[in-house]
Amino acid sequence: MTAAAPRPGLLPAVLRSAPVLAFTSWKGAIAGSFLLLLILGALLAPWLTPYEYDVQNLPGAFQPPSLAHPMGTDEFGRDLLTRILYGARTSLSVSGVAIAISLFCGMVLGASAGYLGGRFDRAVMVVVDLTWAFPEILVALMLVAIIGPGTTGTLVAICVAYLAQFTRLTRAQVMSLKSETFVEAARGMGASGTAILFRHLLPNCLGPVLVAGMLATGDAIILEATLGFFGLGAQPPTPSWGGMMSSGSGLLFKGPWIILFPGLCIALTVVAINLFGDALLHKLDIRERVRSA
């Protein structure tokens, strides 16, 4: 009967506490609070505004910001604040789900390639490097052209566009860890390759990969908005921030708020994600935590 080798417990403990500790810094607190409010606003959109996002009111078109419409109305008389809150559902959910799928697949592929090595490693890296050689927007445009416009095509495009960086990062982490003493101890105690990979190596790779995934979410929001701006993202009447900017680009001098507020939401969300990710990365600095312990 064999026993499983112990593995370092510091990183999993840091992973559990880092999201909370990130709020202890001023930028983490501000960015995290903004993201929480944005998510709550998107979830509670039906109860926060008295308007429907898809009901047109042509006599009320192009109304500037006022008490009745804090962000004004668009060219069809629809309340812009309502559409921005519902658009947050589309932009955040599509980007978040796509990055989560890409992160999971990238970690499995990268960990397997880094641990097994040989022909499997070379085959995976050849395929990954093919997508890595092209900009994300180009990969996304090609995939959306094949799959078709809409949220499904956008989700698949974002997932594939960011798969390479998660695969390469996880592979590098596993290759640097698989020769460590605790892995040799687990192997000597009879642990299988699968157990070593998923119980000992992957938990110790989660920190940098998860932070990279969070930072990539900001880029994914921009990519989703870009596809929406080109008319390849969520199709009307489903609102998305990129689609709202696209419709407002031709009305810049007649209703500048139509493009201003969605663009401002995209910019603030991406900055908040990057600031919170930076605070999270600071809290995941293992050597700093050991020195301060």
Side-chain angles (χ1 to χ4, degrees), residues 54-182:
D54 57 349
V55 175
Q56 299 182 9
N57 180 26
L58 295 180
F62 297 110
Q63 291 186 20
S66 61
L67 291 178
H69 302 282
M71 293 186 178
T73 61
D74 62 8
E75 68 273 23
F76 297 109
R78 298 171 297 192
D79 182 65
L80 202 60
L81 175 60
T82 301
R83 289 184 60 78
I84 284 179
L85 290 177
Y86 278 94
R89 287 183 169 189
T90 303
S91 298
L92 296 180
S93 62
V94 170
S95 303
V97 171
I99 290 298
I101 296 174
S102 183
L103 182 66
F104 175 79
C105 295
M107 288 187 67
V108 172
L109 280 176
S112 302
Y115 183 72
L116 296 176
R119 293 183 178 179
F120 180 76
D121 181 32
R122 290 193 294 271
V124 169
M125 295 315 297
V126 165
V127 176
V128 165
D129 287 342
L130 285 176
T131 61
W132 185 262
F134 299 97
E136 287 88 354
I137 182 61
L138 183 58
V139 175
L141 287 173
M142 290 189 297
L143 289 173
V144 171
I146 295 172
I147 300 173
T151 54
T152 301
T154 302
L155 191 148
V156 174
I158 294 175
C159 180
V160 175
Y162 291 95
L163 180 64
Q165 71 179 57
F166 300 136
T167 303
R168 292 175 65 92
L169 179 58
T170 307
R171 174 179 177 268
Q173 293 289 316
V174 169
M175 290 183 70
S176 66
L177 288 173
K178 69 178 183 179
S179 59
E180 294 289 334
T181 305
F182 70 92

Side-chain angles (χ1 to χ4, degrees), residues 6-7 17-18 37 63 95 98 139 167 183 257:
R7 60 182 184 275
S17 60
L37 288 175
Q63 291 186 20
S95 303
V139 175
T167 303
V183 176
W257 55 86

Side-chain angles (χ1 to χ4, degrees), residues 186-200:
R187 187 178 293 112
M189 289 182 176
S192 64
T194 303
I196 292 174
L197 182 60
F198 289 99
R199 293 184 60 191
H200 300 277

